[in-house]
Amino acid sequence: MALKKLCRSIVQTFQVREDQPALVLAQVKALSRQIPLLYLLLFANALALAYTHFGTAPDWMTVYIPVVLGLVCLMRGIAWMRVRETVTDFAHAVIHLRRIRILAAVISIVFTAWAIKMFGYGDAYQQGHVAYFISVTVVGCIFCLLHFPPAALLVVVIVLGSFIMHFGTTGNEVYVAIAANMAMVSVMIVQIIRSYYAAFSGLVESQIDLEKQHNKTIELSNQNRELAFCDALTGLSNRRAFFAHLEKTVEQANDKDAFAIAMIDLDGFKPVNDVHGHPAGDEVLMQASARLRAVLGPDVLLARLGGDEFGVIFEHQNDALELIKIGRALCGTLNDPFDVGGGTVQLSASLGFATYPTVARDPNALFERADFALYYAKKNMPGHPVIFAARHETLIRHDSQIEQALRKADLESELSIHFQPVFDLRNGIMHSVEVLARWDNEKMGRVSPEMFFPVAEKTGLVGTLSTILFQKAMKSMVDWPSEISLSFNLSARDIVLPDMAHWLIDQIKFFGIDPGRLTFEVTETALLRDFVSARASIRYLRRHGAKVALDDFGIGYSSLRYVHELEFDCLKIDRSFIAPIVNSERSQRIVKTVIDMCENLGTDCVIEGIETPEQRDEVLRLGGHLAQGYFFARPVAGLDWAALSKLAQGAMTKAPRS
């Protein structure tokens, strides 16, 4: 068994390590630098030996054979100089190593036989030159073949073995001693070959490990880059990737290039999280992503920018008609019900387009205009696409002017409050008064709340406006009759800030007003922003005695759910249901349903927007009692209680039937 193992080890020593491709390639690369030197050494030493024996040995040994051997060395040397440029794959490298192994044996036999044959000619000096030639040449060749042990060991076995046998049997003590010395040198050379090869193969393995680590690092870096530019939930590009691609597209665009970007927002997504939980919301986002990708195809960059907002870059499309067609398809696919948790939810989507270079050449400006188009769509055309146009630019400039004016204004003096009463049609008594904001700017004149409040919301100034207006309302209310209540509108930002709710209650206490006389009106838009925070603020206000009303009821997405969970003290039916109520049976049924629901829940119901006696009569017929609108009284800066009392009595007088 030990003998078989030894034989196997010896056989493996002379084999090409085809199980280690990297090592084979490294051996060929190293040999391509060393073997040309080997052939140069062989040729130079053979030429020197032939020279010293010229005239003593036959010409075929000193002339013809050296010429042939020289030509062989020259051709093989040139061939190996080309190897370093031509051999790049493992298969060819194996072929070269096998060829080296054969040539090492052949050349060793040829040169050794020629040198030993030359030993029979000449004097002692010339014979000594033969011994010197063999010993020096073999050592030089072995060092040139250290990277490939099979060839180096073959040279040792053939050349030194022949040298030892030949000189050890000459009977000359000097040559016998040289042969013995060379035998010991052979053992040392074999050990050197093994040690050097072990170090060389270890170095190759280390390089392989380093390359693996380097490749792994690159792979991890690429993975991190992908993660950095990928949305983990949907697998789409993320906000960073969207803006990086947008900036690159703008940089590479020339004067003739045109493209478009789109912003998409899911309308009514927030209640999905609130009602069904975040896992259901995540499922909706994943389904929405898949639907958008199905419409856009794989070649269009689609990114999730955050929350329920998506961005699209159309690199070769800016035709308005085609964009609207695509936009309708995108909005349409998001109108279909989403399956979540065994049930379905119905959403819609709004979309805003901006085109390059028509509306902007800067990435940020382009994005801002697409975002404004989306905002305009959500506000004026929910569920539809809007392309940013010149009229929107005018609106942006106007909003910018309003923002700058708000920032520079002396709001304490420029802001004022107006009052619009709410009447009880059952008894002709004024039920409450709603506070309405007014802003008179030195440069812009009277600015409508519908214009400056959205700007204040976006710029974070609305909190300042609310505090000033509320303090003015409290100062006015101090002198009111104790039975008159006040309604104050809270912005979306106000209702989600716990500090604001605390401040409102503190102000009510500071002015010594009964909290039960205060009703804070909030819209569903405010609840959609952050339902949890809004709910906490509403409960805090109600816990301290104030009332809370849901304004613009009926135009949102989850009104009944809010009514059930938040226990509002009052619902205000939006004016959009009142405008057609005289002739629209559908509007009548809706209003009647809400009035009956409020009565069953013990909740007040205020009907907004009554402008004609016919609308008032229809509201009375449907059971409505609390009403507000231009028909009764327009907003005024000061309250004349006597005049308001007469208006209240007049509110009960029905219009004659024709």
Side-chain angles (χ1 to χ4, degrees):
M1 183 67 69
L3 181 60
K4 184 183 291 186
K5 186 176 181 180
L6 176 62
C7 293
R8 186 184 303 114
S9 176
I10 293 173
V11 171
Q12 289 177 349
T13 301
F14 290 94
Q15 289 180 338
V16 178
R17 296 299 303 270
E18 297 184 34
D19 59 328
Q20 298 184 20
L23 177 61
V24 169
L25 289 169
Q27 287 175 316
V28 173
K29 185 177 181 180
L31 290 172
S32 67
R33 294 190 296 267
Q34 300 299 328
I35 288 183
L37 297 176
L38 180 149
Y39 284 117
L40 178 62
L41 174 66
L42 282 173
F43 177 70
N45 287 355
L47 185 64
L49 184 62
Y51 175 77
T52 58
H53 284 72
F54 183 74
T56 303
D59 289 347
W60 64 272
M61 293 184 64
T62 58
V63 178
Y64 303 132
I65 288 180
V67 169
V68 173
L69 293 179
L71 291 174
V72 171
C73 290
L74 178 63
M75 289 188 294
R76 294 305 304 159
I78 294 173
W80 268 98
M81 291 177 69
R82 294 175 179 174
V83 165
R84 69 185 69 175
E85 300 176 358
T86 58
V87 177
T88 57
D89 63 280
F90 172 67
H92 283 85
V94 170
I95 292 173
H96 278 284
L97 291 184
R98 289 174 178 173
R99 189 177 295 162
I100 292 172
R101 190 173 54 186
I102 295 172
L103 287 175
V106 172
I107 291 175
S108 295
I109 293 172
V110 171
F111 272 87
T112 303
W114 173 68
I116 290 176
K117 185 67 176 177
M118 194 81 76
F119 185 78
Y121 299 94
D123 55 21
Y125 292 106
Q126 290 170 313
Q127 291 176 341
H129 189 190
V130 172
Y132 176 80
F133 166 78
I134 295 175
S135 58
V136 171
T137 303
V138 73
V139 171
C141 292
I142 288 170
F143 278 104
C144 289
L145 295 171
L146 281 176
H147 298 93
F148 187 45
L153 291 174
L154 279 173
V155 172
V156 171
V157 171
I158 294 172
V159 179
L160 293 184
S162 301
F163 180 93
I164 293 168
M165 289 179 61
H166 176 73
F167 285 94
T169 58
T170 58
N172 185 300
E173 293 182 359
V174 175
Y175 289 135
V176 171
I178 292 174
N181 185 42
M182 189 57 70
M184 290 185 290
V185 171
S186 300
V187 174
M188 296 174 60
I189 288 175
V190 170
Q191 186 60 35
I192 290 172
I193 292 172
R194 294 180 59 189
S195 298
Y196 184 85
Y197 178 70
F200 175 72
S201 60
L203 179 62
V204 172
E205 290 179 3
S206 299
Q207 290 177 336
I208 293 172
D209 290 339
L210 287 173
E211 288 181 5
K212 288 181 178 178
Q213 292 294 330
H214 180 65
N215 292 334
K216 188 175 181 180
T217 301
I218 293 175
E219 183 179 352
L220 289 173
S221 177
N222 291 335
Q223 290 177 356
N224 290 334
R225 179 179 175 83
E226 289 179 5
L227 290 174
F229 287 91
C230 179
D231 178 60
L233 176 64
T234 63
L236 300 177
S237 299
N238 61 12
R239 190 180 187 90
R240 179 185 296 180
F242 177 85
F243 279 102
H245 193 86
L246 178 58
E247 289 177 1
K248 182 179 179 181
T249 304
V250 171
E251 288 176 1
Q252 295 179 346
N254 56 42
D255 294 337
K256 297 181 180 180
D257 287 335
F259 65 91
I261 68 170
M263 300 281 293
I264 307 169
D265 190 77
L266 297 179
D267 299 327
F269 173 76
K270 189 67 171 63
V272 174
N273 279 335
D274 298 335
V275 176
H276 301 281
H278 288 283
D282 291 345
E283 180 62 31
V284 168
L285 290 174
M286 288 188 287
Q287 292 183 34
S289 301
R291 294 183 188 182
L292 293 173
R293 176 56 71 198
V295 173
L296 294 169
D299 299 327
V300 177
L301 186 134
L302 170 64
R304 180 185 173 215
L305 303 180
D308 60 333
E309 193 172 61
F310 298 86
V312 186
I313 299 178
F314 301 92
E315 292 192 29
H316 305 290
Q317 181 62 262
N318 77 331
D319 179 73
L321 293 178
E322 187 63 27
L323 288 176
I324 290 295
K325 180 181 178 181
I326 297 172
R328 286 173 178 168
L330 293 172
C331 292
T333 192
L334 297 176
N335 282 333
D336 296 333
F338 292 88
D339 297 323
V340 291
T344 61
V345 295
Q346 185 81 43
L347 302 178
S348 62
S350 300
L351 187 150
F353 284 108
T355 56
Y356 175 97
T358 309
V359 301
R361 292 178 177 267
D362 176 75
N364 291 329
L366 196 64
F367 177 81
E368 289 174 359
R369 279 150 181 78
D371 191 45
F372 185 87
L374 172 64
Y375 165 78
Y376 185 88
K378 291 176 72 70
K379 184 178 180 181
N380 301 282
M381 301 173 61
H384 293 82
V386 169
I387 298 179
F388 189 91
R391 66 181 185 278
H392 300 131
E393 192 71 53
T394 302
L395 292 175
I396 287 181
R397 286 198 295 269
H398 189 245
D399 284 355
S400 178
Q401 291 175 351
I402 292 175
E403 178 185 349
Q404 295 303 316
L406 279 173
R407 294 187 183 281
K408 297 177 181 179
D410 180 3
L411 296 176
E412 187 68 42
S413 62
E414 293 183 14
L415 285 175
S416 61
I417 54 175
H418 279 48
F419 306 96
Q420 187 176 33
V422 176
F423 295 105
D424 190 333
L425 302 181
R426 294 170 297 184
N427 50 29
I429 296 176
M430 188 169 64
H431 174 268
S432 60
V433 174
E434 180 179 0
V435 174
L436 302 172
R438 295 293 183 266
W439 179 34
D440 294 286
N441 183 258
E442 181 179 349
K443 292 183 178 180
M444 303 187 68
R446 171 65 61 88
V447 184
S448 167
E450 287 76 14
M451 298 177 68
F452 71 80
F453 260 105
V455 175
E457 280 269 15
K458 289 193 291 184
T459 57
L461 296 170
V462 70
T464 302
L465 271 62
S466 296
T467 55
I468 293 173
L469 293 169
F470 188 72
Q471 287 181 326
K472 289 178 180 291
M474 290 295 94
K475 292 176 182 178
S476 297
M477 196 177 179
V478 169
D479 299 325
W480 289 7
S482 59
E483 69 274 11
I484 302 298
S485 299
L486 179 143
S487 294
F488 186 85
N489 291 279
L490 292 179
S491 71
R493 183 179 180 278
D494 294 334
I495 198 62
V496 299
L497 294 177
D499 291 346
M500 186 63 176
H502 296 164
W503 183 84
L504 291 170
I505 295 299
D506 290 342
Q507 288 296 304
I508 294 171
K509 293 178 180 178
F510 175 79
F511 284 97
I513 297 172
D514 178 10
R517 295 173 59 196
L518 270 295
T519 299
F520 293 100
E521 298 185 13
V522 297
T523 63
E524 289 188 44
T525 304
L527 301 177
L528 287 171
R529 171 174 290 188
D530 186 345
F531 178 78
V532 175
S533 298
R535 178 177 58 190
S537 295
I538 289 172
R539 289 178 175 176
Y540 181 85
L541 294 171
R542 296 187 76 248
R543 190 165 62 248
H544 286 79
K547 298 176 183 178
V548 180
L550 181 58
D551 198 9
D552 300 334
F553 180 78
I555 62 171
Y557 298 95
S558 305
S559 299
L560 292 179
R561 186 257 173 155
Y562 294 143
V563 172
H564 168 72
E565 184 165 340
L566 298 177
E567 300 179 359
F568 288 103
D569 301 284
C570 176
L571 301 183
K572 301 188 74 173
I573 300 178
D574 187 69
R575 65 183 67 248
S576 61
F577 296 103
I578 306 304
I581 196 170
V582 175
N583 300 313
S584 172
E585 185 176 348
R586 186 176 184 84
S587 293
Q588 294 169 11
R589 289 178 179 177
I590 293 173
V591 172
K592 176 63 175 174
T593 299
V594 177
I595 291 173
D596 291 344
M597 179 186 69
C598 289
E599 185 174 352
N600 292 331
L601 294 174
T603 301
D604 287 339
C605 181
V606 175
I607 293 89
E608 297 180 299
I610 296 179
E611 298 184 358
T612 67
E614 290 78 15
Q615 291 174 343
R616 178 204 57 188
D617 293 349
E618 192 61 43
V619 167
L620 278 169
R621 185 184 71 81
L622 296 173
H625 305 302
L626 301 178
Q628 179 182 8
Y630 285 179
F631 171 71
F632 306 109
R634 290 180 174 271
V636 291
L639 293 172
D640 184 338
W641 300 110
L644 287 172
S645 179
K646 292 181 180 180
L647 287 174
Q649 293 298 321
M652 297 180 61
T653 305
K654 289 190 177 183
R657 295 289 181 180
S658 56

